[in-house]
Amino acid sequence: MSATELHDASPPAAQGLSREEARVAARALNRRRLVAFLLVAPLLAFVIFAFFAPVATMLHRSVHNPTVVELIPGTLELLQGWSGEGTPPDAVLTSMAVDLKRLAQERTSGKLAEELNRGLPGTSSVVKSTARKMRRADDAELQANGAALLLAAHDKWAEPLLWSTLREVGRSYSERNFLTALDLEKDPEGGIRQRESARIYIQLYGKTLKIAVIITVLTLLLGYPLAYVITGMSAKVAGIMLIFVLLPFWTSLLVRTTSWIALLQTNGVVNSFLMGVGLTGEPFEMMYTEFATIVAMTHILLPFMVLPLYSVMRGIDPSYVRAALSLGSGPIAAFIRVYFPMTLPGLSAGALLVFIISVGYYITPALVGGTDGQMISNIIAFHMQQSNNWELAAALGTLLLFLIIVLYWVYDRLVGAKNIKLG
């Protein structure tokens, strides 16, 4: 730190000011700090409201689900004393019978059936049919003989697995959504094992990363030469070319995706052309495949690769390459050893942008990908909009966020801007 900086940073008293002058200077400094804070306060409030609050809500929702506790609190309280072996005591069965009658009268038994079915598939019909039977029973009869009525309604109520599952889903805070998102589950002894039902989420995460990497590589292979060519043009021509690069931004995403449907469908433009020139005798199945997702997303995300590359290439002095050539280097060697390293900041920034955006993309895979081209974002949307399992959707989204943070950390450690050596 220079002498001037040390002087400015020192307290007013150390600068030869009187006590009164020091107080005035301190008040002026505090006012400047307050004004600076008030200027950034709206932006800070917006970031908290639009980013941190939704992320915090998602994290909380992924582990918190009080639905079952709110529906049958008395039964769950009695069930805590059950050893886990055999059928629970009659008091628990009677309480459950009474609760099912109340839920049937309130028309909320379906919520309990939905939650229990997520933990133990096939139990939704058990809860609903039993609730209908309990609704017709007399209150006094339920209080006196509720356990027998419950067991007579369906033989599933005698199985310990159903009750252990009910106790598990009745926890307000639980890690079960994260276990499901990782294709895991708890066994009856409380240990963690692979899910016995369909295991799809880990496969979808792998497919999402694979598609994102392919799209990033394709945009790099297409965008790098394009940015290089535009950089060598005159300012007027380069401006016109950049307009064509930015043209997708001025068109609705839905319109661009729909255009690819018209191009890739069975009787679309691409198949009609291939059959017209005799390259194939029958149309290719390109729509609703992983191929369609990759092609459409590469086109949509290409500008995110071109623009960072162009901004960096535009600032590279051409004399560096000319100097390398004049010193005896070949064109390819000069490009690889001199020009290419100087473009790494733009290349890494573009690759990071494309990769992160493509990992969380939803609309394009949903429209052109079908079942084969689905990504994890489509499953998150499914659980939010159709299965109404917001807790599992939040867990999947949290894992996706964590995965992106880890990948960004790895990127920063390996090829981050601070690790790039120019020249």
Side-chain angles (χ1 to χ4, degrees):
M1 184 179 291
S2 64
T4 304
E5 292 173 333
L6 286 171
H7 181 271
D8 293 339
S10 60
Q15 300 178 16
L17 301 178
S18 65
R19 187 182 301 273
E20 181 64 26
E21 290 174 333
R23 284 198 296 268
V24 172
R27 285 196 296 268
L29 179 61
N30 291 334
R31 282 196 299 271
R32 288 196 298 270
R33 290 174 176 173
L34 179 61
V35 170
F37 173 77
L38 292 176
L39 289 175
V40 301
L43 177 60
L44 181 63
F46 175 80
V47 171
I48 293 175
F49 176 77
F51 180 74
F52 288 106
V55 170
T57 302
M58 179 180 67
L59 292 172
H60 182 259
R61 193 69 178 267
S62 65
V63 296
H64 180 58
N65 184 10
T67 303
V68 179
V69 177
E70 295 172 352
L71 291 174
I72 52 171
T75 300
L76 288 176
E77 185 177 355
L78 293 173
L79 194 58
Q80 299 307 312
W82 175 52
S83 64
E85 298 179 358
T87 305
D90 288 352
V92 177
L93 301 179
T94 300
S95 177
M96 188 65 186
V98 173
D99 282 338
L100 285 176
K101 178 178 180 178
R102 173 178 52 82
L103 295 178
Q105 292 173 340
E106 297 173 354
R107 299 183 182 276
T108 55
S109 59
K111 292 183 179 180
L112 178 63
E114 182 180 339
E115 294 294 332
L116 185 57
N117 192 70
R118 289 171 182 168
L120 184 61
T123 53
S124 177
S125 59
V126 176
V127 174
K128 292 179 180 178
S129 63
T130 306
R132 288 193 297 267
K133 294 177 181 179
M134 296 302 106
R135 185 177 185 178
R136 295 191 293 267
D138 183 71
D139 289 341
E141 185 182 6
L142 280 178
Q143 292 292 342
N145 200 26
L149 291 174
L150 187 71
L151 293 175
H154 203 290
D155 55 4
K156 282 282 187 180
W157 293 109
E159 297 181 3
L161 180 59
L162 185 147
W163 291 100
S164 61
T165 303
L166 181 63
R167 184 165 59 181
E168 175 64 24
V169 300
R171 294 165 55 197
S172 295
Y173 289 90
S174 173
E175 72 285 356
R176 61 181 178 273
N177 292 310
F178 282 102
L179 293 178
T180 302
L182 294 171
D183 290 332
L184 302 172
E185 64 180 3
K186 283 190 173 182
D187 56 30
E189 290 74 28
I192 297 176
R193 65 184 183 188
Q194 290 287 332
R195 288 179 64 191
E196 295 181 354
S197 55
R199 296 190 288 269
I200 60 172
Y201 298 116
I202 294 297
Q203 180 183 357
L204 272 173
Y205 277 115
K207 180 189 288 187
T208 299
L209 292 178
K210 182 187 74 173
I211 291 176
V213 169
I214 293 174
I215 292 171
T216 303
V217 172
L218 289 176
T219 54
L220 173 60
L221 295 177
L222 295 172
Y224 196 99
L226 179 59
Y228 181 78
V229 170
I230 295 176
T231 304
M233 296 177 176
S234 63
K236 182 177 180 180
V237 178
I240 296 174
M241 293 298 295
L242 284 177
I243 291 176
F244 287 104
V245 172
L246 293 172
L247 194 59
F249 285 136
W250 304 335
T251 308
S252 168
L253 176 62
L254 187 61
V255 172
R256 283 178 279 167
T257 305
T258 306
S259 300
W260 278 107
I261 295 177
L263 289 170
L264 298 177
Q265 62 185 345
T266 304
N267 298 319
V269 177
V270 175
N271 273 318
S272 298
F273 172 78
L274 293 177
M275 294 174 67
V277 298
L279 293 178
T280 180
E282 57 183 18
F284 291 107
E285 291 293 334
M286 292 182 287
M287 273 300 298
Y288 309 119
T289 62
E290 186 176 309
F291 170 79
T293 298
I294 292 173
V295 170
M297 289 180 62
T298 299
H299 164 250
I300 292 171
L301 298 178
L302 184 59
F304 291 98
M305 179 66 73
V306 174
L307 294 179
L309 284 170
Y310 174 77
S311 64
V312 171
M313 290 178 177
R314 196 71 177 174
I316 298 176
D317 192 343
S319 62
Y320 292 146
V321 177
R322 291 197 296 267
L325 295 174
S326 66
L327 292 173
S329 176
I332 297 178
F335 174 82
I336 294 176
R337 301 183 63 181
V338 178
Y339 188 83
F340 180 76
M342 289 190 289
T343 63
L344 285 179
L347 189 151
S348 59
L352 188 65
L353 274 173
V354 172
F355 181 82
I356 290 179
I357 293 174
S358 59
V359 163
Y361 231 65
Y362 163 68
I363 296 179
T364 302
L367 292 179
V368 304
T371 303
D372 188 46
Q374 278 190 343
M375 301 173 71
I376 193 65
S377 56
N378 302 109
I379 300 301
I380 294 174
F382 167 78
H383 285 303
M384 294 179 66
Q385 298 172 358
Q386 299 184 40
S387 72
N388 201 30
N389 193 347
W390 283 62
E391 292 76 22
L392 180 55
L396 290 169
T398 300
L399 289 177
L400 183 62
L401 175 63
F402 178 75
L403 178 63
I404 292 175
I405 292 175
V406 170
L407 291 174
Y408 177 78
W409 178 82
V410 173
Y411 154 83
D412 185 64
R413 298 286 295 179
L414 297 179
V415 294
K418 64 182 180 182
N419 297 313
I420 296 175
K421 297 180 180 180
L422 303 180

